[in-house]
Amino acid sequence: MSEPMLQTKQQAISMMKLWSFFLPLGISASLVTISHVIINSTLSRAADPERIIASYAVAMSLLAITERPAVLLRQTCSTLVRDKRSYTSTLTVAQLVFASIMIMGLLISYTPLGTFIFKDVFGVGEDSVDDVLRVYQVLMFVSIFSGIRCFYQGVIIYNLRTKWLTIGMAVRLAGMYMLSLYFIHTGVHSGVVGAYIFLFGMMIEAAVSFMEGRLLVRKMPDKLEDHTTKTKSHVFSFYRPLLFSSLISVWIGPAINAMLGKTWNAELAISSFAIAASLVMLLSSFFSYFHQIVINFYPIDPGAVRRFTLMLGFVPALLMGLIAFTDLGVFLLEHVIGVHGRLQAESIRVLQSFVLFALVMPWLDVLNGLVFVRRQTKLIIGSQISNLTFTIITLIVCTWLAPEWNGAIGAWAQSLGMMAELIFVALALRFIKTDEPVPAAARAAV
């Protein structure tokens, strides 16, 4: 394939080309879940697996927040990096992000801030705080390597070399599995083992992405005059709203769990919601890269992007309906996940409430891709506020009027919150015009 270039003339994109771009992305996103299976299965071999898995899970819940700024570099880089000048500017911003993440990680790990967060915010017992802190002291480095991975994956995605994401994930899983066998042989004594396995896998994936990404950067032109991203301020104006919006969205999960604790059967509600949500995320992860299809191909051939997304956009809802309303869901819960009895029945009811989520998710991802193409990332702040607002309203109303719905309340809240986000983005794209010209990022055909 020839190198990407900016052109003003549109080109026809074949479905085969879109599939060859999208399929490796979907596979790599789906394979992520296997890494967590490897870690949990390793930790379950410990003499006290409940305590060890819990310490790892709590530390991971904080990592999900502190890692978020690094993950946002993937969209930033795939949207903005088109030449060596924009690469240098984006890399400078990424380095500032890495430094901030490292400082925050050190403060959490080695000052009283960490004890306060885990004990007073996450509710960890006094006797378990030190265990959780030791896990996080390793996991904080995951954010750095995750950021390196995402940064260069952005370059790889723009250059349509998405097979390297699948290759990187496959090598990562192989490395994690080999290390897990070592720990199983030598003994699993703390949740730090899980952190080491995760860090090792992320280092491998980051190395693969770095090597391929650097090769692609060397082939980029030094400067494209009609490319609008030239300085660090241009990059910050794109990245900053994404960061602010992520700080809003992180409250959705805790809000749901807090309100589920006020239902008729709190333990049943929280556990059934967690089981159903994990199954929904596994199902929807394959379809979580529609925004990259839009970013990379919409300026070239909007019609091809519309046909591709229409062809696949309803598949998650169809699969979700099949799982939620047929015996397939019972089979998966009973024979794959190992859920039985009342918890199984309640999880099925939660899955049925998640069908709307599966219907909305792909189209929100498509519209967010248009937001990136138009460089209007400030809209995402408003969309996340809409999501959080409607999520909380739904939680309060349903808990007040129908607390017997238990875990289904969380599913409806998350679904209606995402629906509100979709409506906000759709209206904003319809009525808010951009002052910045949209680059015609056309590519040469294969």
Side-chain angles (χ1 to χ4, degrees), residues 115-137:
T115 301
F116 169 77
I117 291 175
F118 289 122
K119 182 180 177 182
D120 298 321
V121 178
F122 285 86
V124 177
E126 183 77 37
D127 56 341
S128 301
V129 171
D130 288 341
D131 292 337
V132 176
L133 277 172
R134 281 194 292 270
V135 175
Y136 188 79
Q137 287 168 1

Side-chain angles (χ1 to χ4, degrees), residues 192-208:
V192 177
V193 166
Y196 280 133
I197 295 173
F198 194 26
L199 175 60
F200 183 62
M202 193 62 73
M203 290 172 65
I204 292 174
E205 191 177 8
V208 173

Side-chain angles (χ1 to χ4, degrees), residues 106-232:
L106 291 173
L107 289 174
I108 293 172
S109 297
Y110 299 102
T111 72
L113 176 62
T115 301
F116 169 77
I117 291 175
F118 289 122
K119 182 180 177 182
D120 298 321
V121 178
F122 285 86
V124 177
E126 183 77 37
D127 56 341
S128 301
V129 171
D130 288 341
D131 292 337
V132 176
L133 277 172
R134 281 194 292 270
V135 175
Y136 188 79
Q137 287 168 1
V138 178
L139 287 180
M140 73 174 185
F141 294 100
V142 171
S143 298
I144 304 301
F145 288 100
S146 177
I148 296 171
R149 171 198 63 162
C150 290
F151 181 86
Y152 285 100
Q153 281 181 351
V155 176
I156 292 169
I157 289 170
Y158 172 68
N159 284 270
L160 312 185
R161 306 275 291 176
T162 51
K163 67 178 182 181
W164 282 98
L165 272 69
T166 305
I167 293 171
M169 179 56 68
V171 178
R172 163 184 165 176
L173 292 177
M176 291 176 67
Y177 180 68
M178 295 300 293
L179 186 59
S180 73
L181 292 178
Y182 168 78
F183 281 119
I184 289 173
H185 178 72
T186 58
V188 179
H189 305 293
S190 74
V192 177
V193 166
Y196 280 133
I197 295 173
F198 194 26
L199 175 60
F200 183 62
M202 193 62 73
M203 290 172 65
I204 292 174
E205 191 177 8
V208 173
S209 300
F210 174 81
M211 288 186 292
E212 175 63 15
R214 283 296 302 168
L215 289 175
L216 295 172
V217 168
R218 292 193 188 103
K219 299 176 183 178
M220 285 182 173
D222 291 331
K223 183 169 61 175
L224 294 169
E225 293 300 333
D226 50 355
H227 182 41
T228 56
T229 302
K230 302 177 181 178
T231 65
K232 294 186 292 293

Side-chain angles (χ1 to χ4, degrees), residues 43-54:
L43 296 181
S44 66
R45 308 295 182 93
D48 187 8
E50 292 84 2
R51 178 182 61 83
I52 288 177
I53 292 176

Side-chain angles (χ1 to χ4, degrees), residues 241-275:
L242 295 179
L243 180 61
F244 290 159
S245 66
S246 69
L247 297 178
I248 298 170
S249 64
V250 296
W251 294 101
I252 293 175
I256 292 175
N257 287 326
M259 292 304 294
L260 289 182
K262 302 181 183 301
T263 58
W264 275 7
N265 192 325
E267 288 186 0
L268 181 63
I270 293 172
S271 59
S272 63
F273 177 80
I275 290 169

Side-chain angles (χ1 to χ4, degrees), residues 19 24 61 82 100 109 130 146 185 193 208 288-289 374 384:
W19 271 111
S61 64
R82 299 294 181 265
S100 301
S109 297
D130 288 341
S146 177
H185 178 72
V193 166
V208 173
S288 61
Y289 277 102
R374 291 171 56 168
Q384 289 299 320

